Amino acid sequence: MLVLAVDTSTPTVTTGVAELTPGRAVDVRAERRVDTPRGHAEILTTLILECLAEAGVARSDLDAVVVGAGPGPFTGLRVGMATAAAFADALAIPLHGVCSLDAIRSDAHAGRVLVVTDARRREVYWALYGPDGRVAGPAVDTPADLIDRLRGEQDVDAILGSPEHTRLFGGHAVDGYAAPTTAGLVATARRALESGAAPEPVVPLYLRRPDAVELKDRKR
């Protein structure tokens, strides 16, 4: 099974082509990860086409699309989800959405893990994981409020996410997990992909209202 993966929930645009074979690890055939906080829309399609060419895969060879559904800032997240949906629709293949924080967690070792990413407005998106999966979140809070929420919880083994935020939560920050990878996105969707069942509708995890609103809505 050949899968196109897309995520724009963080300042890093991630896209890649991976092969999924039963009983084997996800084989990433090509990947692009570009840090561009304001340039998601300008480069995403180009990066996807580069990955397809590098992997030697035609668009018609793809079997499914996996997209990170956030949480993430409204505009950036919408770019990735709209592009992924357009590819899936044009090719008449399934579109699977996954929580982007789950995909970051998927790349790490098992154990008790906190994932935090930048939500702007001096807030973070976060989720907490145990050995068997997510136990809290996804949600959005200030770092101080999140520390209060987690007070009394068991200690975490690792804190993953954007480096400027992971270091706010103690001494277990692990570098190298600021954004989802192709392998993490596809691995998170693996059960759904292999089941062959029709995917659930993909719903973006904005977790709060967009920054930009029409003037009439702002007055109301």
Side-chain angles (χ1 to χ4, degrees), residues 38-123:
R38 304 291 181 184
H40 295 60
E42 289 79 2
I43 67 170
L44 178 56
T45 300
T46 298
L47 296 180
I48 290 173
L49 297 178
E50 288 179 0
C51 287
L52 290 169
E54 181 179 317
V57 172
R59 278 173 273 190
S60 57
D61 294 330
L62 293 170
D63 298 296
V65 179
V66 173
V67 64
F74 183 85
T75 302
L77 184 59
R78 184 173 56 181
V79 167
M81 297 192 69
T83 303
F87 267 83
D89 185 62
L91 299 171
I93 57 178
L95 174 66
H96 295 269
V98 299
C99 174
S100 301
L101 302 179
D102 290 357
I104 293 174
R105 163 66 178 82
S106 179
D107 284 321
H109 60 80
R112 195 162 179 84
V113 174
L114 176 67
V115 179
V116 292
T117 60
D118 186 8
R120 302 177 184 172
R121 304 184 190 175
R122 299 182 181 179
E123 294 179 325

Side-chain angles (χ1 to χ4, degrees), residues 22-220:
R24 295 173 60 182
V26 175
D27 178 18
V28 177
R29 302 266 292 266
E31 182 178 50
R32 296 289 186 275
R33 303 179 74 205
V34 178
D35 189 20
T36 172
R38 304 291 181 184
H40 295 60
E42 289 79 2
I43 67 170
L44 178 56
T45 300
T46 298
L47 296 180
I48 290 173
L49 297 178
E50 288 179 0
C51 287
L52 290 169
E54 181 179 317
V57 172
R59 278 173 273 190
S60 57
D61 294 330
L62 293 170
D63 298 296
V65 179
V66 173
V67 64
F74 183 85
T75 302
L77 184 59
R78 184 173 56 181
V79 167
M81 297 192 69
T83 303
F87 267 83
D89 185 62
L91 299 171
I93 57 178
L95 174 66
H96 295 269
V98 299
C99 174
S100 301
L101 302 179
D102 290 357
I104 293 174
R105 163 66 178 82
S106 179
D107 284 321
H109 60 80
R112 195 162 179 84
V113 174
L114 176 67
V115 179
V116 292
T117 60
D118 186 8
R120 302 177 184 172
R121 304 184 190 175
R122 299 182 181 179
E123 294 179 325
V124 293
Y125 297 117
W126 66 273
L128 181 66
Y129 300 83
D132 298 322
R134 186 172 0 121
V135 297
V140 58
D141 280 298
T142 66
D145 286 343
L146 178 53
I147 290 170
D148 286 341
R149 269 182 188 265
L150 297 178
R151 188 168 285 119
E153 294 275 355
Q154 298 177 20
D155 289 340
V156 298
D157 301 308
I159 304 171
L160 314 178
S162 52
E164 63 269 32
H165 298 95
T166 56
R167 63 175 63 102
L168 300 175
F169 296 91
H172 299 287
V174 180
D175 292 335
Y177 296 92
T181 63
T182 296
L185 290 161
V186 175
T188 303
R190 182 167 199 148
R191 182 176 298 178
L193 288 163
E194 293 182 338
S195 73
E200 297 289 329
V202 178
V203 179
L205 297 169
Y206 294 130
L207 301 189
R208 65 186 181 201
R209 295 180 180 179
D211 293 330
V213 297
E214 292 187 24
L215 183 58
K216 60 183 177 61
D217 294 327
R218 191 180 307 156
K219 288 180 178 178
R220 185 165 63 244

